[in-house]
PDB file of all heavy atoms in Angstrom:
ATOM      1  N   ILE P 350       9.008  27.362 -62.755  1.00  0.00           N
ATOM      2  CA  ILE P 350       8.655  27.140 -64.165  1.00  0.00           C
ATOM      3  C   ILE P 350       9.306  28.221 -65.029  1.00  0.00           C
ATOM      4  O   ILE P 350       9.291  29.404 -64.686  1.00  0.00           O
ATOM      5  CB  ILE P 350       7.123  27.182 -64.358  1.00  0.00           C
ATOM      6  CG1 ILE P 350       6.455  26.098 -63.506  1.00  0.00           C
ATOM      7  CG2 ILE P 350       6.753  26.995 -65.825  1.00  0.00           C
ATOM      8  CD1 ILE P 350       4.942  26.156 -63.518  1.00  0.00           C
ATOM      9  N   LEU P 351       9.895  27.805 -66.163  1.00  0.00           N
ATOM     10  CA  LEU P 351      10.443  28.725 -67.152  1.00  0.00           C
ATOM     11  C   LEU P 351       9.999  28.275 -68.542  1.00  0.00           C
ATOM     12  O   LEU P 351       9.476  27.172 -68.719  1.00  0.00           O
ATOM     13  CB  LEU P 351      11.976  28.766 -67.069  1.00  0.00           C
ATOM     14  CG  LEU P 351      12.580  29.378 -65.793  1.00  0.00           C
ATOM     15  CD1 LEU P 351      14.098  29.250 -65.810  1.00  0.00           C
ATOM     16  CD2 LEU P 351      12.163  30.825 -65.616  1.00  0.00           C
ATOM     17  N   PHE P 352      10.251  29.149 -69.561  1.00  0.00           N
ATOM     18  CA  PHE P 352       9.797  28.882 -70.929  1.00  0.00           C
ATOM     19  C   PHE P 352      10.978  28.740 -71.879  1.00  0.00           C
ATOM     20  O   PHE P 352      12.045  29.326 -71.681  1.00  0.00           O
ATOM     21  CB  PHE P 352       8.890  30.020 -71.418  1.00  0.00           C
ATOM     22  CG  PHE P 352       7.590  30.100 -70.693  1.00  0.00           C
ATOM     23  CD1 PHE P 352       7.456  30.908 -69.574  1.00  0.00           C
ATOM     24  CD2 PHE P 352       6.506  29.347 -71.098  1.00  0.00           C
ATOM     25  CE1 PHE P 352       6.263  30.983 -68.898  1.00  0.00           C
ATOM     26  CE2 PHE P 352       5.311  29.409 -70.430  1.00  0.00           C
ATOM     27  CZ  PHE P 352       5.185  30.228 -69.319  1.00  0.00           C
ATOM     28  N   THR P 353      10.769  27.951 -72.937  1.00  0.00           N
ATOM     29  CA  THR P 353      11.807  27.757 -73.952  1.00  0.00           C
ATOM     30  C   THR P 353      11.980  29.021 -74.796  1.00  0.00           C
ATOM     31  O   THR P 353      11.106  29.881 -74.833  1.00  0.00           O
ATOM     32  CB  THR P 353      11.448  26.579 -74.862  1.00  0.00           C
ATOM     33  OG1 THR P 353      10.183  26.863 -75.495  1.00  0.00           O
ATOM     34  CG2 THR P 353      11.340  25.288 -74.085  1.00  0.00           C
ATOM     35  N   ALA P 354      13.135  29.072 -75.493  1.00  0.00           N
ATOM     36  CA  ALA P 354      13.443  30.137 -76.461  1.00  0.00           C
ATOM     37  C   ALA P 354      13.494  31.520 -75.837  1.00  0.00           C
ATOM     38  O   ALA P 354      13.409  32.531 -76.524  1.00  0.00           O
ATOM     39  CB  ALA P 354      12.427  30.123 -77.602  1.00  0.00           C
ATOM     40  N   THR P 355      13.644  31.590 -74.522  1.00  0.00           N
ATOM     41  CA  THR P 355      13.791  32.871 -73.839  1.00  0.00           C
ATOM     42  C   THR P 355      14.916  32.740 -72.822  1.00  0.00           C
ATOM     43  O   THR P 355      15.488  31.668 -72.631  1.00  0.00           O
ATOM     44  CB  THR P 355      12.496  33.271 -73.110  1.00  0.00           C
ATOM     45  OG1 THR P 355      12.209  32.281 -72.110  1.00  0.00           O
ATOM     46  CG2 THR P 355      11.324  33.398 -74.059  1.00  0.00           C
ATOM     47  N   SER P 356      15.221  33.841 -72.183  1.00  0.00           N
ATOM     48  CA  SER P 356      16.117  33.813 -71.030  1.00  0.00           C
ATOM     49  C   SER P 356      15.277  33.984 -69.774  1.00  0.00           C
ATOM     50  O   SER P 356      14.285  34.707 -69.772  1.00  0.00           O
ATOM     51  CB  SER P 356      17.159  34.934 -71.120  1.00  0.00           C
ATOM     52  OG  SER P 356      18.011  34.713 -72.219  1.00  0.00           O
ATOM     53  N   GLY P 357      15.657  33.306 -68.728  1.00  0.00           N
ATOM     54  CA  GLY P 357      14.906  33.379 -67.479  1.00  0.00           C
ATOM     55  C   GLY P 357      15.829  33.181 -66.300  1.00  0.00           C
ATOM     56  O   GLY P 357      17.051  33.041 -66.461  1.00  0.00           O
ATOM     57  N   LYS P 358      15.268  33.182 -65.123  1.00  0.00           N
ATOM     58  CA  LYS P 358      16.095  33.041 -63.937  1.00  0.00           C
ATOM     59  C   LYS P 358      15.424  32.157 -62.902  1.00  0.00           C
ATOM     60  O   LYS P 358      14.205  32.147 -62.750  1.00  0.00           O
ATOM     61  CB  LYS P 358      16.394  34.417 -63.329  1.00  0.00           C
ATOM     62  CG  LYS P 358      15.167  35.183 -62.863  1.00  0.00           C
ATOM     63  CD  LYS P 358      15.550  36.565 -62.364  1.00  0.00           C
ATOM     64  CE  LYS P 358      14.315  37.370 -61.961  1.00  0.00           C
ATOM     65  NZ  LYS P 358      14.658  38.738 -61.553  1.00  0.00           N
ATOM     66  N   LEU P 359      16.256  31.388 -62.208  1.00  0.00           N
ATOM     67  CA  LEU P 359      15.821  30.640 -61.037  1.00  0.00           C
ATOM     68  C   LEU P 359      16.105  31.477 -59.799  1.00  0.00           C
ATOM     69  O   LEU P 359      17.081  32.236 -59.761  1.00  0.00           O
ATOM     70  CB  LEU P 359      16.551  29.305 -60.935  1.00  0.00           C
ATOM     71  CG  LEU P 359      16.254  28.250 -62.009  1.00  0.00           C
ATOM     72  CD1 LEU P 359      17.055  26.989 -61.726  1.00  0.00           C
ATOM     73  CD2 LEU P 359      14.773  27.944 -62.065  1.00  0.00           C
ATOM     74  N   VAL P 360      15.281  31.310 -58.782  1.00  0.00           N
ATOM     75  CA  VAL P 360      15.431  32.057 -57.533  1.00  0.00           C
ATOM     76  C   VAL P 360      15.687  31.072 -56.399  1.00  0.00           C
ATOM     77  O   VAL P 360      14.930  30.118 -56.220  1.00  0.00           O
ATOM     78  CB  VAL P 360      14.173  32.894 -57.225  1.00  0.00           C
ATOM     79  CG1 VAL P 360      14.381  33.696 -55.942  1.00  0.00           C
ATOM     80  CG2 VAL P 360      13.845  33.818 -58.390  1.00  0.00           C
ATOM     81  N   CYS P 361      16.751  31.302 -55.655  1.00  0.00           N
ATOM     82  CA  CYS P 361      17.011  30.485 -54.468  1.00  0.00           C
ATOM     83  C   CYS P 361      16.042  30.965 -53.386  1.00  0.00           C
ATOM     84  O   CYS P 361      16.157  32.091 -52.890  1.00  0.00           O
ATOM     85  CB  CYS P 361      18.461  30.652 -54.013  1.00  0.00           C
ATOM     86  SG  CYS P 361      18.988  29.442 -52.782  1.00  0.00           S
ATOM     87  N   PRO P 362      15.068  30.130 -52.999  1.00  0.00           N
ATOM     88  CA  PRO P 362      13.962  30.613 -52.160  1.00  0.00           C
ATOM     89  C   PRO P 362      14.295  30.666 -50.671  1.00  0.00           C
ATOM     90  O   PRO P 362      15.236  30.031 -50.193  1.00  0.00           O
ATOM     91  CB  PRO P 362      12.855  29.591 -52.435  1.00  0.00           C
ATOM     92  CG  PRO P 362      13.593  28.327 -52.723  1.00  0.00           C
ATOM     93  CD  PRO P 362      14.869  28.736 -53.413  1.00  0.00           C
ATOM     94  N   GLU P 363      13.473  31.452 -49.958  1.00  0.00           N
ATOM     95  CA  GLU P 363      13.489  31.511 -48.491  1.00  0.00           C
ATOM     96  C   GLU P 363      14.869  31.867 -47.928  1.00  0.00           C
ATOM     97  O   GLU P 363      15.381  31.222 -47.008  1.00  0.00           O
ATOM     98  CB  GLU P 363      13.019  30.172 -47.899  1.00  0.00           C
ATOM     99  CG  GLU P 363      11.695  29.658 -48.424  1.00  0.00           C
ATOM    100  CD  GLU P 363      10.517  30.537 -48.027  1.00  0.00           C
ATOM    101  OE1 GLU P 363      10.694  31.452 -47.197  1.00  0.00           O
ATOM    102  OE2 GLU P 363       9.418  30.311 -48.558  1.00  0.00           O
ATOM    103  N   LEU P 364      15.468  32.929 -48.488  1.00  0.00           N
ATOM    104  CA  LEU P 364      16.778  33.382 -47.986  1.00  0.00           C
ATOM    105  C   LEU P 364      16.698  34.726 -47.266  1.00  0.00           C
ATOM    106  O   LEU P 364      17.717  35.214 -46.775  1.00  0.00           O
ATOM    107  CB  LEU P 364      17.787  33.496 -49.138  1.00  0.00           C
ATOM    108  CG  LEU P 364      18.163  32.220 -49.883  1.00  0.00           C
ATOM    109  CD1 LEU P 364      19.237  32.523 -50.913  1.00  0.00           C
ATOM    110  CD2 LEU P 364      18.629  31.124 -48.929  1.00  0.00           C
ATOM    111  N   ARG P 365      15.519  35.297 -47.200  1.00  0.00           N
ATOM    112  CA  ARG P 365      15.370  36.668 -46.707  1.00  0.00           C
ATOM    113  C   ARG P 365      16.012  36.877 -45.341  1.00  0.00           C
ATOM    114  O   ARG P 365      16.700  37.878 -45.103  1.00  0.00           O
ATOM    115  CB  ARG P 365      13.881  37.018 -46.651  1.00  0.00           C
ATOM    116  CG  ARG P 365      13.569  38.367 -46.042  1.00  0.00           C
ATOM    117  CD  ARG P 365      12.076  38.627 -46.087  1.00  0.00           C
ATOM    118  NE  ARG P 365      11.732  39.834 -45.382  1.00  0.00           N
ATOM    119  CZ  ARG P 365      10.498  40.296 -45.249  1.00  0.00           C
ATOM    120  NH1 ARG P 365       9.497  39.628 -45.808  1.00  0.00           N
ATOM    121  NH2 ARG P 365      10.242  41.402 -44.571  1.00  0.00           N
ATOM    122  N   ASN P 366      15.798  35.962 -44.427  1.00  0.00           N
ATOM    123  CA  ASN P 366      16.299  36.146 -43.061  1.00  0.00           C
ATOM    124  C   ASN P 366      17.789  35.880 -42.919  1.00  0.00           C
ATOM    125  O   ASN P 366      18.370  36.190 -41.880  1.00  0.00           O
ATOM    126  CB  ASN P 366      15.534  35.227 -42.104  1.00  0.00           C
ATOM    127  CG  ASN P 366      14.111  35.678 -41.876  1.00  0.00           C
ATOM    128  OD1 ASN P 366      13.223  35.338 -42.651  1.00  0.00           O
ATOM    129  ND2 ASN P 366      13.882  36.462 -40.846  1.00  0.00           N
TER     130      ASN P 366
END
Side-chain angles (χ1 to χ4, degrees):
I350 300 174
L351 293 176
F352 293 92
T353 59
T355 62
S356 294
K358 62 184 177 183
L359 293 181
V360 182
C361 192
E363 308 294 351
L364 296 184
R365 175 178 174 181
N366 288 86

